[in-house]
Amino acid sequence: MTAATHSTLFPRVPDSADAVLEGLDPEQRAVATALHGPVCVLAGAGTGKTRAITHRIAYGVRAGILQPSSVLAVTFTNRAAGEMRGRLRQLGAVGVQARTFHSAALRQLQYFWPKAVGGPLPRLVDRKIQLVADAAAACRIRLDRGELRDVTAEIEWSKVTQTVPADYTAATAKAGRETPRDPAEIAQLYAAYEDLKRERSVIDFEDVLLLTVAVLQDRHDIAEQVRAQYQHFVVDEYQDVSPLQQRLLELWLGDRENLCVVGDASQTIYSFTGATPDHLLDFRVRHPGATVVKLVRDYRSTPQVVRLANGLLAQAKGRAADHRLELVSQRPAGPEPVFTEYTDEPAEAEGAARRIRELIGSGVPASEIAVLFRTNSQSETYEQALADAGVPYQLRGAERFFDRPEVRNAITALRAAARFGGNDALLDDAPDLPSQVRAVLSGKGWTPQPPAGSGAVRESWESLAALVHLAQDFAAANAGATLADLVVELDERAGAQHAPTVQGVTLASLHAAKGLEWDVVFLVGVAEGMMPITYAKTDEQIEEERRLLYVGVTRAREHLHLSWALARSPGGRANRRPSRFLTGLRPGSQAVAARAGAAGAGAVERGSWTAAATAVPEQAPRRRQRTPARCRVCGRTLTDGGEMKLMRCEDCPSDMDEGLYERLREWRGEQARRSGQPAFCVFTDKTLIAIAEAVPDDEHELARIPGVGMRKLRRYGADVLALCAGRDPAEGQDQD
């Protein structure tokens, strides 16, 4: 074995199961050693969730507790699945299946289709947009390119939420979903699309999951064969599962509970695709005996970045906010986040480019710097600013601005209008350059007011609006400029940005940045109207925008720059203001009272399965801390009387001694019979549960439990403490 084999490129495979656990923190170790029953890992950004779950699988395999071929780990992207497989190989856990939901389902469907249906599996279409176009033609509905993309997205949403065409209109109304066309029209297109697929014997991406679910539901013999193959399941990014994926997971599991899920409700940013954190938040309701582990030690970001991230969520509202995790940085102190206000958007882009060039000059690799924005239409300004500054860049998750179809078509139309000049009727009532551009682009989808909602139509409009704004700025800077001059300018910009580039600064939308990290992050355009975006109207939509900014903040390891512009263009009206999400966090803004309820330290809630999991020594049990009106598990403020008696939320996990609870119930029944009063007059069920959870050792601990007053303590205290100690209660303790 050469020395190179021991490098970071070829790490040494652990030589034993115990060696797999080396280097894990107490909470990660708790995840790795909880190998039986349901396990829920609530993992904050940068807390090493992938490390924890891969070491869990590897430890189970290396210890002989899990058979590699019986484990199925599922996630959402091929990149994440590939990373998981690579880590498992490095840990010596060869043979474990790590796949996306779709990849795992397609593999099963291809294998079982001949047996379940007969014949080969129908062909899987690569791109469904052409089928949607054909369906629109059959319905005699005209859709432009943007509308085609939006209707396709609506069909995808319908299928992952298990909504059939007949129910689409009612489902969108119930979900408060803005639709790109009349809902009845989209329902008609959806039905025609499904008919076309059947006629052509093809299936789409979502059908892979739907058909796998159908086969497993209808053929119990096939379902049992799958369950015999896979005994243990791990699901990463569980906050992003759709109802359809959850149904498939339930069918894989059957009546078993060997399931480990990992997620963070505060990173739910894909609800528009059908993803919902409800399955993560309700996990303990569906699996009352679950072990719950909270990972809050942040190994990615400095304390300064983490403090800002925690501050963002401290102001959040809603169900996900009630279950937020308060991160604790494990890194040395770094620079404070930088907040910068600019006069206009070009100045903001130039300022970012200038600072990036300085960072690269000081030795920071360009590949460790990212510029993150809310919409893809914002990229052009930064592409241009970086190109002007001579800084190499790469665009992630989107086409370059001048490569986008709507931009290419618009420039072609502007070039034609410039060539025809006064002979173009479009320009008859357009006396200056900006009005000429608006006139030409109005035929390509630009309107003075943006279209309602989000999606492809909105993105296309944003791109055209960027060209309109660019024309206004160009005319202001170049008196007497013509349409032909503008076309030359656009061609030069396109040429500069099409030049071959090496790996450079990353430009990405906040959605595309999920799962990535850099040493330096520039969050740009953090202003009202962009963050939150203008079409975010409801409380739920606003909170998802906040979570999106939180994801952006937590991408930074060390340096974080946040900026906004007061005006769109130079000399424009300075009527913009920084995002409401920064109130109380940026210098000079008024502090906002923080919401209580975050878990400020890593915690492990032992489920009823854990004792059988492994003989590996665990960390010492956590010390119980009760406050008068705060859940002792998740920290949420309690208002319900029953919950206050338990000192936890109803749906938070219970560590109750069930044997003790049954003994207390039998004893209570005997006391009630002796005194001739109802059982609840002795102690209510909630008080008995609280006693069985606390297992008090003395009268002082027993008296702290709500529902145990001084009179009941004097009357029943000795009996209850005897039962808690495993002894029979003394006779005659029912006397006053």
Coordinates of all heavy atoms in Angstrom, one line a residue, residues 54-122:
T54 N -24.2 8.1 7.3 CA -23.3 7.1 6.7 C -22.5 6.3 7.7 O -22.3 5.1 7.5 CB -22.3 7.8 5.7 OG1 -21.6 8.9 6.4 CG2 -23.1 8.4 4.5
H55 N -22.1 6.9 8.8 CA -21.4 6.2 9.9 C -22.4 5.3 10.6 O -22.0 4.2 11.0 CB -20.8 7.2 10.9 CG -19.5 7.7 10.4 ND1 -19.4 8.6 9.4 CD2 -18.2 7.5 10.9 CE1 -18.1 8.9 9.2 NE2 -17.4 8.2 10.1
R56 N -23.7 5.6 10.6 CA -24.7 4.8 11.2 C -24.8 3.5 10.4 O -24.8 2.4 10.9 CB -26.0 5.5 11.2 CG -27.2 4.7 11.8 CD -28.5 5.5 11.7 NE -29.6 4.8 12.4 CZ -30.4 4.0 11.8 NH1 -30.3 3.7 10.5 NH2 -31.4 3.4 12.5
I57 N -25.0 3.7 9.1 CA -25.1 2.5 8.2 C -23.8 1.6 8.3 O -23.9 0.4 8.4 CB -25.3 2.9 6.7 CG1 -26.7 3.6 6.6 CG2 -25.3 1.7 5.8 CD1 -26.9 4.3 5.3
A58 N -22.6 2.3 8.2 CA -21.4 1.6 8.2 C -21.2 0.9 9.5 O -20.7 -0.3 9.5 CB -20.2 2.6 7.9
Y59 N -21.5 1.5 10.6 CA -21.3 0.8 11.9 C -22.2 -0.4 12.0 O -21.8 -1.5 12.5 CB -21.7 1.8 13.1 CG -21.7 1.1 14.4 CD1 -20.5 0.7 15.0 CD2 -22.9 0.8 15.1 CE1 -20.5 0.1 16.2 CE2 -22.9 0.1 16.3 CZ -21.7 -0.2 16.8 OH -21.7 -0.9 18.0
G60 N -23.5 -0.3 11.5 CA -24.4 -1.4 11.6 C -23.9 -2.6 10.7 O -24.0 -3.7 11.1
V61 N -23.3 -2.2 9.6 CA -22.8 -3.3 8.7 C -21.5 -3.9 9.3 O -21.4 -5.1 9.3 CB -22.5 -2.7 7.3 CG1 -21.7 -3.7 6.4 CG2 -23.8 -2.3 6.6
R62 N -20.6 -3.1 9.7 CA -19.3 -3.6 10.3 C -19.5 -4.4 11.6 O -18.8 -5.3 11.9 CB -18.4 -2.4 10.5 CG -18.0 -1.6 9.2 CD -17.2 -2.4 8.2 NE -16.0 -2.8 8.7 CZ -14.9 -2.1 8.8 NH1 -14.9 -0.9 8.2 NH2 -13.7 -2.5 9.3
A63 N -20.6 -4.0 12.3 CA -20.9 -4.7 13.6 C -21.7 -6.0 13.3 O -21.9 -6.7 14.3 CB -21.6 -3.8 14.5
G64 N -22.1 -6.2 12.1 CA -22.9 -7.4 11.8 C -24.3 -7.3 12.1 O -25.0 -8.3 12.1
I65 N -24.8 -6.1 12.4 CA -26.2 -5.9 12.8 C -27.1 -5.7 11.5 O -28.2 -6.2 11.5 CB -26.3 -4.7 13.7 CG1 -25.5 -5.0 15.0 CG2 -27.8 -4.4 14.1 CD1 -25.4 -3.8 15.9
L66 N -26.5 -5.1 10.5 CA -27.2 -4.9 9.3 C -26.5 -5.6 8.1 O -25.3 -5.6 8.0 CB -27.2 -3.4 8.9 CG -27.8 -2.4 9.9 CD1 -27.7 -1.0 9.4 CD2 -29.3 -2.7 10.2
Q67 N -27.3 -6.2 7.3 CA -26.7 -6.9 6.1 C -26.7 -5.8 5.0 O -27.7 -5.1 4.8 CB -27.6 -8.0 5.6 CG -27.6 -9.2 6.6 CD -26.2 -9.8 6.7 OE1 -25.5 -10.0 5.7 NE2 -25.8 -10.0 8.0
P68 N -25.6 -5.6 4.3 CA -25.5 -4.5 3.3 C -26.6 -4.5 2.3 O -27.2 -3.5 2.0 CB -24.1 -4.7 2.7 CG -23.3 -5.4 3.7 CD -24.3 -6.3 4.5
S69 N -26.9 -5.7 1.8 CA -27.9 -5.8 0.7 C -29.3 -5.5 1.2 O -30.2 -5.4 0.4 CB -27.8 -7.2 0.1 OG -28.1 -8.2 1.0
S70 N -29.5 -5.5 2.5 CA -30.9 -5.2 3.1 C -31.1 -3.8 3.4 O -32.2 -3.4 3.9 CB -31.1 -6.1 4.4 OG -30.3 -5.5 5.4
V71 N -30.1 -2.9 3.1 CA -30.2 -1.5 3.5 C -30.5 -0.7 2.2 O -29.8 -0.8 1.2 CB -29.0 -1.0 4.2 CG1 -29.1 0.5 4.5 CG2 -28.7 -1.8 5.4
L72 N -31.5 0.2 2.2 CA -31.8 1.1 1.1 C -31.8 2.5 1.7 O -32.6 2.9 2.6 CB -33.2 0.8 0.5 CG -33.6 1.7 -0.6 CD1 -32.6 1.7 -1.8 CD2 -35.0 1.4 -1.2
A73 N -30.8 3.3 1.2 CA -30.8 4.7 1.6 C -31.2 5.6 0.4 O -30.7 5.4 -0.7 CB -29.3 5.1 2.0
V74 N -32.2 6.4 0.6 CA -32.7 7.2 -0.5 C -32.6 8.7 -0.2 O -32.6 9.2 1.0 CB -34.2 6.9 -0.7 CG1 -34.4 5.6 -1.4 CG2 -35.0 7.0 0.5
T75 N -32.3 9.5 -1.2 CA -32.2 10.9 -1.1 C -32.8 11.5 -2.4 O -33.5 10.8 -3.1 CB -30.7 11.3 -0.9 OG1 -30.7 12.8 -0.7 CG2 -29.8 11.0 -2.1
F76 N -32.5 12.8 -2.7 CA -33.3 13.5 -3.7 C -32.5 13.8 -5.0 O -33.1 14.2 -6.0 CB -33.9 14.8 -3.1 CG -35.1 14.5 -2.2 CD1 -34.9 14.1 -0.9 CD2 -36.3 14.5 -2.7 CE1 -36.0 13.8 -0.1 CE2 -37.4 14.2 -1.9 CZ -37.2 13.9 -0.6
T77 N -31.2 13.8 -4.9 CA -30.4 14.1 -6.1 C -29.4 13.0 -6.4 O -28.9 12.4 -5.4 CB -29.7 15.5 -6.0 OG1 -28.7 15.4 -4.9 CG2 -30.7 16.6 -5.6
N78 N -29.0 12.9 -7.6 CA -28.0 11.9 -8.0 C -26.6 12.3 -7.3 O -25.9 11.4 -6.9 CB -27.8 11.8 -9.5 CG -29.0 11.2 -10.2 OD1 -29.5 10.2 -9.7 ND2 -29.4 11.7 -11.3
R79 N -26.4 13.6 -7.2 CA -25.1 14.0 -6.6 C -25.1 13.6 -5.1 O -24.1 13.1 -4.6 CB -25.0 15.6 -6.6 CG -23.7 16.1 -6.0 CD -23.7 17.6 -6.1 NE -24.8 18.2 -5.3 CZ -24.8 18.4 -4.0 NH1 -23.8 18.0 -3.3 NH2 -25.8 18.9 -3.4
A80 N -26.2 13.8 -4.4 CA -26.2 13.4 -3.0 C -26.1 11.9 -2.8 O -25.4 11.4 -1.9 CB -27.5 13.9 -2.3
A81 N -26.8 11.1 -3.7 CA -26.7 9.7 -3.7 C -25.3 9.2 -3.9 O -24.8 8.3 -3.3 CB -27.7 9.0 -4.6
G82 N -24.6 9.8 -4.9 CA -23.3 9.5 -5.2 C -22.3 9.8 -4.1 O -21.4 9.0 -3.8
E83 N -22.5 10.9 -3.4 CA -21.7 11.2 -2.3 C -21.9 10.2 -1.2 O -20.9 9.8 -0.5 CB -22.0 12.6 -1.8 CG -21.2 13.1 -0.6 CD -21.7 14.4 0.0 OE1 -22.6 15.0 -0.6 OE2 -21.1 14.8 1.0
M84 N -23.1 9.8 -1.0 CA -23.4 8.8 0.1 C -22.7 7.5 -0.2 O -22.1 6.9 0.7 CB -24.9 8.6 0.3 CG -25.3 7.9 1.5 SD -27.1 7.8 1.7 CE -27.5 9.5 2.0
R85 N -22.8 7.0 -1.5 CA -22.1 5.8 -1.9 C -20.6 5.9 -1.7 O -20.0 4.9 -1.2 CB -22.5 5.4 -3.3 CG -23.9 4.9 -3.5 CD -24.1 4.3 -4.9 NE -23.9 5.3 -6.0 CZ -24.8 6.1 -6.5 NH1 -26.1 5.9 -6.1 NH2 -24.6 6.9 -7.5
G86 N -20.1 7.0 -2.0 CA -18.6 7.2 -1.9 C -18.2 7.1 -0.4 O -17.2 6.5 -0.1
R87 N -18.9 7.8 0.4 CA -18.6 7.7 1.9 C -18.7 6.3 2.5 O -17.9 5.9 3.3 CB -19.5 8.7 2.6 CG -19.2 10.2 2.3 CD -19.7 11.1 3.4 NE -19.7 12.5 3.0 CZ -19.9 13.5 3.9 NH1 -20.1 13.2 5.2 NH2 -19.9 14.7 3.5
L88 N -19.8 5.6 2.0 CA -20.0 4.3 2.5 C -18.8 3.4 2.1 O -18.4 2.5 2.9 CB -21.3 3.7 2.1 CG -22.5 4.4 2.7 CD1 -23.8 3.9 2.0 CD2 -22.6 4.0 4.2
R89 N -18.3 3.5 0.9 CA -17.2 2.7 0.4 C -16.0 3.0 1.3 O -15.2 2.1 1.7 CB -16.9 3.0 -1.0 CG -17.8 2.3 -2.0 CD -17.2 2.3 -3.4 NE -17.0 3.7 -3.9 CZ -18.0 4.4 -4.6 NH1 -19.1 3.9 -4.8 NH2 -17.7 5.6 -5.0
Q90 N -15.7 4.3 1.6 CA -14.6 4.7 2.4 C -14.7 4.1 3.8 O -13.7 3.9 4.5 CB -14.5 6.2 2.5 CG -14.1 6.9 1.1 CD -14.3 8.4 1.2 OE1 -14.6 9.0 2.2 NE2 -14.1 9.0 0.0
L91 N -15.9 3.8 4.3 CA -16.1 3.3 5.6 C -16.2 1.8 5.6 O -16.4 1.2 6.7 CB -17.4 3.9 6.2 CG -17.3 5.4 6.5 CD1 -18.7 5.9 6.9 CD2 -16.3 5.7 7.7
G92 N -16.0 1.2 4.5 CA -16.0 -0.3 4.4 C -17.4 -0.9 4.3 O -17.5 -2.1 4.6
A93 N -18.4 -0.1 4.0 CA -19.8 -0.6 3.9 C -20.1 -0.8 2.4 O -21.0 -0.1 1.9 CB -20.8 0.3 4.6
V94 N -19.5 -1.8 1.8 CA -19.8 -2.0 0.4 C -21.1 -2.9 0.2 O -21.3 -3.7 1.0 CB -18.6 -2.8 -0.3 CG1 -18.8 -3.1 -1.7 CG2 -17.3 -2.0 -0.1
G95 N -21.8 -2.5 -0.8 CA -23.0 -3.3 -1.1 C -24.3 -2.7 -0.7 O -25.4 -3.2 -1.0
V96 N -24.2 -1.5 0.0 CA -25.4 -0.8 0.5 C -26.0 0.0 -0.7 O -25.2 0.6 -1.5 CB -25.1 0.2 1.6 CG1 -26.3 1.0 1.9 CG2 -24.7 -0.6 2.9
Q97 N -27.3 -0.1 -0.9 CA -27.9 0.7 -2.0 C -28.2 2.1 -1.5 O -28.9 2.3 -0.6 CB -29.3 0.0 -2.4 CG -29.1 -1.3 -3.1 CD -28.5 -1.2 -4.4 OE1 -28.9 -0.4 -5.2 NE2 -27.5 -2.1 -4.7
A98 N -27.6 3.1 -2.3 CA -27.9 4.5 -2.0 C -28.4 5.1 -3.3 O -27.6 5.2 -4.3 CB -26.7 5.2 -1.5
R99 N -29.7 5.5 -3.4 CA -30.3 5.9 -4.6 C -31.2 7.1 -4.4 O -31.6 7.3 -3.2 CB -31.1 4.8 -5.3 CG -30.2 3.6 -5.7 CD -31.0 2.4 -6.3 NE -30.2 1.4 -6.8 CZ -29.7 1.4 -8.0 NH1 -29.9 2.4 -8.8 NH2 -28.9 0.4 -8.4
T100 N -31.6 7.7 -5.5 CA -32.8 8.6 -5.4 C -34.1 7.8 -5.3 O -34.1 6.7 -5.6 CB -32.8 9.6 -6.6 OG1 -33.1 8.8 -7.8 CG2 -31.5 10.3 -6.8
F101 N -35.1 8.5 -4.9 CA -36.4 7.8 -4.9 C -36.8 7.3 -6.2 O -37.2 6.1 -6.4 CB -37.5 8.8 -4.4 CG -37.8 8.9 -3.0 CD1 -37.3 9.9 -2.2 CD2 -38.6 7.9 -2.4 CE1 -37.5 9.9 -0.8 CE2 -38.9 7.9 -1.0 CZ -38.3 9.0 -0.2
H102 N -36.5 8.1 -7.3 CA -36.9 7.7 -8.6 C -36.0 6.6 -9.1 O -36.5 5.6 -9.8 CB -36.8 8.9 -9.6 CG -38.0 9.8 -9.4 ND1 -38.0 10.9 -8.5 CD2 -39.2 9.9 -10.1 CE1 -39.1 11.5 -8.6 NE2 -39.8 11.0 -9.5
S103 N -34.8 6.6 -8.8 CA -33.9 5.5 -9.3 C -34.2 4.2 -8.6 O -34.3 3.2 -9.3 CB -32.4 5.9 -8.9 OG -31.6 4.8 -9.2
A104 N -34.5 4.2 -7.3 CA -34.9 3.0 -6.6 C -36.2 2.5 -7.2 O -36.4 1.3 -7.4 CB -35.0 3.3 -5.1
A105 N -37.2 3.4 -7.4 CA -38.5 2.9 -7.9 C -38.4 2.4 -9.3 O -39.0 1.4 -9.6 CB -39.5 4.1 -7.8
L106 N -37.6 3.1 -10.2 CA -37.5 2.6 -11.5 C -36.8 1.2 -11.6 O -37.3 0.4 -12.4 CB -36.6 3.6 -12.3 CG -36.4 3.3 -13.8 CD1 -37.8 3.2 -14.6 CD2 -35.5 4.3 -14.5
R107 N -35.9 1.0 -10.8 CA -35.2 -0.3 -10.7 C -36.2 -1.4 -10.4 O -36.2 -2.5 -11.0 CB -34.1 -0.3 -9.7 CG -33.1 -1.4 -9.8 CD -31.8 -1.0 -9.0 NE -30.8 -2.1 -9.0 CZ -30.6 -2.9 -8.0 NH1 -31.2 -2.7 -6.9 NH2 -29.7 -3.8 -8.1
Q108 N -37.0 -1.2 -9.4 CA -38.0 -2.1 -9.0 C -39.1 -2.3 -10.0 O -39.5 -3.4 -10.3 CB -38.7 -1.7 -7.6 CG -37.7 -1.7 -6.5 CD -38.3 -1.1 -5.2 OE1 -39.5 -1.0 -5.1 NE2 -37.5 -0.8 -4.2
L109 N -39.5 -1.2 -10.6 CA -40.6 -1.3 -11.7 C -40.1 -2.1 -12.9 O -40.8 -2.9 -13.4 CB -40.9 0.1 -12.1 CG -42.3 0.3 -12.8 CD1 -43.4 -0.2 -11.9 CD2 -42.5 1.8 -13.1
Q110 N -38.9 -1.9 -13.3 CA -38.3 -2.6 -14.5 C -38.3 -4.1 -14.2 O -38.5 -4.9 -15.0 CB -36.9 -2.1 -14.8 CG -36.9 -0.7 -15.4 CD -35.6 -0.1 -15.6 OE1 -34.7 -0.4 -14.8 NE2 -35.4 0.7 -16.6
Y111 N -38.0 -4.4 -12.9 CA -37.8 -5.9 -12.6 C -39.2 -6.5 -12.5 O -39.4 -7.7 -12.9 CB -37.1 -6.0 -11.2 CG -36.8 -7.4 -10.8 CD1 -35.8 -8.1 -11.3 CD2 -37.6 -8.0 -9.9 CE1 -35.5 -9.4 -10.9 CE2 -37.4 -9.3 -9.5 CZ -36.4 -10.0 -10.0 OH -36.1 -11.3 -9.6
F112 N -40.2 -5.8 -11.8 CA -41.4 -6.5 -11.5 C -42.5 -6.3 -12.6 O -43.6 -6.9 -12.6 CB -42.0 -6.0 -10.2 CG -41.2 -6.5 -9.0 CD1 -40.4 -5.7 -8.2 CD2 -41.2 -7.9 -8.7 CE1 -39.7 -6.1 -7.2 CE2 -40.5 -8.3 -7.6 CZ -39.7 -7.5 -6.8
W113 N -42.3 -5.3 -13.5 CA -43.3 -5.1 -14.5 C -43.8 -6.3 -15.3 O -45.0 -6.5 -15.5 CB -42.9 -3.9 -15.5 CG -43.9 -3.5 -16.4 CD1 -44.2 -3.9 -17.7 CD2 -44.9 -2.5 -16.2 NE1 -45.2 -3.3 -18.2 CE2 -45.7 -2.4 -17.3 CE3 -45.2 -1.7 -15.1 CZ2 -46.8 -1.5 -17.4 CZ3 -46.3 -0.8 -15.2 CH2 -47.1 -0.7 -16.3
P114 N -42.9 -7.1 -15.9 CA -43.3 -8.3 -16.6 C -44.2 -9.2 -15.8 O -45.1 -9.8 -16.3 CB -42.0 -8.9 -17.0 CG -41.0 -7.8 -17.0 CD -41.4 -6.9 -15.9
K115 N -43.9 -9.3 -14.5 CA -44.6 -10.2 -13.6 C -46.0 -9.6 -13.2 O -47.0 -10.3 -13.2 CB -43.8 -10.5 -12.4 CG -44.6 -11.4 -11.4 CD -43.7 -11.6 -10.1 CE -44.4 -12.5 -9.1 NZ -43.5 -12.7 -7.9
A116 N -46.0 -8.3 -13.0 CA -47.2 -7.6 -12.5 C -48.2 -7.3 -13.6 O -49.4 -7.4 -13.5 CB -46.8 -6.3 -11.8
V117 N -47.6 -6.9 -14.8 CA -48.5 -6.4 -15.9 C -48.3 -7.2 -17.2 O -49.3 -7.5 -17.9 CB -48.2 -4.9 -16.2 CG1 -49.1 -4.4 -17.3 CG2 -48.3 -4.0 -14.9
G118 N -47.1 -7.6 -17.4 CA -46.8 -8.4 -18.6 C -46.2 -7.5 -19.7 O -46.5 -6.3 -19.8
G119 N -45.2 -8.0 -20.4 CA -44.5 -7.3 -21.5 C -43.5 -6.3 -20.9 O -43.3 -6.2 -19.7
P120 N -42.8 -5.6 -21.8 CA -41.8 -4.7 -21.3 C -42.4 -3.4 -20.7 O -43.5 -3.0 -21.0 CB -41.0 -4.3 -22.5 CG -42.0 -4.5 -23.6 CD -42.9 -5.6 -23.2
L121 N -41.6 -2.7 -19.8 CA -42.1 -1.5 -19.2 C -42.2 -0.4 -20.4 O -41.3 -0.3 -21.2 CB -41.0 -1.0 -18.2 CG -41.4 0.3 -17.5 CD1 -42.5 0.1 -16.5 CD2 -40.1 0.8 -16.7
P122 N -43.3 0.4 -20.4 CA -43.4 1.4 -21.4 C -42.2 2.4 -21.4 O -41.5 2.5 -20.4 CB -44.7 2.2 -21.0 CG -45.5 1.2 -20.2 CD -44.5 0.3 -19.5

